[in-house]
Amino acid sequence: MCLKIEYKKIQEECGIFGGYAFCGHIAPYIKCALLKLQHRGQESAGICCGDEVQNLYKDFGLVNSVFKDYEISNLKGAFGIGHVRYSTFRDDRKENIQPLKIRYMGEDVSLAHNGNVSQAAHIREKFEKIGEVFLSASDSEVILKRIVFSLKKKPSEWTYDEVAKCINDNFSLGSYCIVIFTKNRIMAFRDPWGYRPLMLAKTAQGYFVASEDVAFWGLDVEEIVEIQPGCSVEITSGGVEYKTFDTTKKHKKCVFEQIYFASAASNIFSKNVYQTRVCLGELLAQCEDSDFCADVVVPVMDSGLGCAIGYAQKSGMPFHLGLVRNSWAERSFIQPEQKNRKNNVLQKFMPIKSVVEGKRVVLVDDSLVRGTTSSHIIKILKNAGAREVHMRSVSPKILNTCIWGVDIPTKEELICHGISDSKIAEKIGADSVKFLPLDMMKEVFEGDNWCLECFLEDRG
Ligand code: SF4
């Protein structure tokens, strides 16, 4: 399951959290963490807490609307996992919200994941042919049932090695992070390719894992560690054990975690997200023709902010917020209908007329996918009186889909597919467009352990 718009863009990954709270009540910590991971999924939220018996509460909506004080105080227990979700399909079935919980041999066990578990559909089909019934369309249920079927014993008796082997044997092609909650124990796994981030924190309040380290903000942190690809942790009241289950794969960190998905405050793959975006913006400014000149640099909030600051710093052009983002508008990717998405862009962005009126504007964003968001924003700026709008993307042209779980549309829907820059500008109503060349992006994402596949016309 994944996530983002076009009406804004591509879909990002869900957010996961899990751990053990020393005070015996983890639910408030999970809620706080999910709020900080809300940008990774806004369709639904779920928390499963307990010790021996697990209590699950989940619903559609934002974290704050799903979990009021009443729900949090009723979610008892020192151990727990949580999830915020965006799904790639229109989904109104509560059963599909994560975490998924089942009862097996008299014990509760629950699981949540993000990313793409590519073999799940095949395994589901195989199970159904032998009469297994699934209550949800979620891949979490497939993973959970695959483990149950392989181990055939009480979840409290599952050893770490058995669970790791089962996941790795059956889902070796996946790009996933998984948290599993069995009696008084949390296990967390990051896939051997390392497409998605997974972080561990040892704090004065407990031991926690999360999709991004921003989720630990506010805790008294003693140590934060990035769980490496093919590695995992097992958390009990006795402490944290860091383990390795597969180090044979070449790492493929998703650059969009840095460019777009993650919070600017997070440190993903050992790089601060905000600093990366500033750096990309600076490089983009260096690509401009020497005679290019504009009056103001305006970011597309939020992920374009750092990029625009970097661009303005390097180019010497003034930086201003020419657009305000309405934080209270729902993010448009959670509105699948085209008409709703358009309305959502209009609700979400408001121009500051005094900044853009009569000005030549450089509009800086993290990427262009279908171009629909950009085209609406350009229209908003021009309606507010902007004389020219020059669109700038700190990502190279997106030319391919993603087979690793990010919901990029088909090649034919991608604005950059098969047309020139001038045609792209014409389609989105810009006076010019420019993209950071892939070679320059590689100055920021050095080495060969980054995934850049969606920028390649052919994957090879
Ligand atoms: S293809 Fe693109 S979106 Fe997909 S994992 Fe690679 S970099 Fe990320």
Side-chain angles (χ1 to χ4, degrees):
M1 301 296 159
C2 359
L3 60 120
K4 198 158 176 174
I5 36 185
E6 183 56 28
Y7 278 90
K8 168 103 176 154
K9 328 231 176 213
I10 56 181
Q11 300 190 359
E12 58 192 332
E13 297 300 308
C14 308
I16 59 174
F17 187 84
Y20 166 65
F22 300 149
C23 68
H25 189 203
I26 196 173
Y29 293 109
I30 300 182
K31 180 183 174 183
C32 277
L34 294 184
L35 279 168
K36 295 179 194 102
L37 296 173
Q38 185 82 80
H39 56 279
R40 297 185 74 89
Q42 299 161 358
E43 185 185 81
S44 61
I47 294 178
C48 188
C49 294
D51 298 295
E52 300 203 354
V53 176
Q54 299 183 10
N55 311 292
L56 172 65
Y57 188 80
K58 55 188 184 179
D59 208 343
F60 293 102
L62 299 173
V63 174
N64 262 336
S65 65
V66 174
F67 297 104
K68 302 277 192 293
D69 289 350
Y70 175 80
E71 284 80 27
I72 292 299
S73 59
N74 279 307
L75 284 165
K76 310 267 191 239
F79 292 85
I81 58 177
H83 192 268
V84 283
R85 173 174 182 255
Y86 175 79
S87 75
T88 50
F89 56 97
R90 194 183 181 93
D91 184 7
D92 52 8
R93 288 181 60 204
K94 211 168 167 178
E95 300 80 38
N96 295 334
I97 301 174
Q98 297 188 48
L100 264 285
K101 185 184 96 162
I102 59 171
R103 195 157 174 82
Y104 180 64
M105 292 192 178
E107 290 184 6
D108 291 334
V109 53
S110 55
L111 184 148
H113 83 282
N114 68 353
N116 182 31
V117 188
S118 48
Q119 289 122 306
H122 175 63
I123 290 171
R124 177 185 291 265
E125 200 183 315
K126 269 174 54 184
F127 270 143
E128 284 177 341
K129 279 189 181 149
I130 58 167
E132 185 64 59
V133 174
F134 287 86
L135 299 176
S136 76
S138 171
D139 290 346
S140 281
E141 190 178 359
V142 179
I143 303 168
L144 200 44
K145 287 200 170 155
R146 181 64 264 184
I147 298 168
V148 164
F149 199 82
S150 295
L151 303 186
K152 294 191 180 76
K153 58 183 175 182
K154 290 183 176 187
S156 59
E157 292 168 6
W158 297 354
T159 67
Y160 159 81
D161 288 336
E162 289 169 336
V163 177
K165 183 173 182 331
C166 178
I167 291 173
N168 207 29
D169 285 354
N170 288 283
F171 305 105
S172 60
L173 300 179
S175 59
Y176 58 77
C177 292
I178 298 171
V179 280
I180 302 175
F181 174 21
T182 62
K183 193 166 155 186
N184 295 324
R185 174 175 62 160
I186 302 292
M187 287 180 274
F189 299 84
R190 181 174 174 201
D191 79 72
W193 314 91
Y195 285 93
R196 304 288 145 228
L198 188 61
M199 308 298 289
L200 163 71
K202 293 179 183 171
T203 75
Q205 288 80 19
Y207 311 124
F208 305 105
V209 290
S211 297
E212 294 178 34
D213 60 356
V214 73
F216 308 134
W217 174 246
L219 299 171
D220 299 312
V221 173
E222 288 154 12
E223 188 184 12
I224 293 181
V225 177
E226 180 178 345
I227 298 171
Q228 293 299 312
C231 296
S232 54
V233 293
E234 189 173 28
I235 299 174
T236 62
S237 56
V240 182
E241 280 194 62
Y242 188 97
K243 309 194 181 197
T244 300
F245 63 92
D246 184 350
T247 53
T248 62
K249 305 288 192 307
K250 189 171 160 55
H251 297 174
K252 288 281 178 188
K253 297 171 280 186
C254 172
V255 291
F256 270 101
E257 288 287 348
Q258 283 278 336
I259 298 169
Y260 177 59
F261 299 152
S263 161
S266 286
N267 298 286
I268 299 287
F269 310 139
S270 310
K271 286 166 99 68
N272 173 254
V273 171
Y274 172 75
Q275 296 296 354
T276 300
R277 290 175 186 170
V278 170
C279 199
L280 290 166
E282 288 173 351
L283 286 173
L284 183 61
Q286 287 173 33
C287 300
E288 295 292 0
D289 297 337
S290 54
D291 58 349
F292 177 73
C293 184
D295 302 308
V296 62
V297 179
V298 168
V300 178
M301 303 289 275
D302 291 328
S303 39
L305 176 62
C307 312
I309 288 173
Y311 183 99
Q313 278 171 0
K314 192 49 115 186
S315 66
M317 295 177 205
F319 168 90
H320 279 291
L321 288 184
L323 278 172
V324 171
R325 194 170 77 88
N326 178 4
S327 315
W328 306 108
E330 286 181 284
R331 286 178 82 162
S332 50
F333 65 77
I334 63 171
Q335 298 198 7
E337 302 296 334
Q338 189 80 354
K339 196 166 136 255
N340 289 346
R341 287 173 177 173
K342 180 179 170 185
N343 288 339
N344 191 274
V345 174
L346 295 176
Q347 293 302 318
K348 192 169 154 185
F349 293 103
M350 297 161 290
I352 301 178
K353 203 173 160 112
S354 59
V355 168
V356 301
E357 192 169 30
K359 303 277 176 45
R360 294 167 297 176
V361 175
V362 178
L363 183 65
V364 182
D365 203 355
D366 52 80
S367 57
L368 260 80
V369 186
R370 290 190 186 92
T372 36
T373 302
S374 308
S375 119
H376 284 289
I377 290 175
I378 290 166
K379 209 174 281 171
I380 290 169
L381 291 174
K382 290 210 166 174
N383 285 343
R387 182 148 54 98
E388 294 171 11
V389 179
H390 300 273
M391 186 75 220
R392 298 295 183 261
S393 160
V394 300
S395 294
K397 292 179 182 175
I398 298 175
L399 300 170
N400 222 320
T401 55
C402 174
I403 55 170
W404 304 108
V406 175
D407 194 20
I408 292 177
T410 62
K411 272 190 178 187
E412 290 63 37
E413 291 174 276
L414 293 169
I415 183 107
C416 297
H417 180 70
I419 60 170
S420 64
D421 285 6
S422 57
K423 196 76 194 161
I424 295 168
E426 191 186 314
K427 275 184 118 174
I428 62 174
D431 292 271
S432 71
V433 295
K434 201 173 271 290
F435 299 85
L436 187 69
L438 186 53
D439 281 352
M440 288 186 81
M441 177 185 251
K442 286 179 183 169
E443 289 179 27
V444 177
F445 301 112
E446 288 174 281
D448 61 355
N449 55 6
W450 295 93
C451 178
L452 300 163
E453 285 183 18
C454 48
F455 304 121
L456 308 175
E457 182 80 59
D458 296 304
R459 284 206 171 81

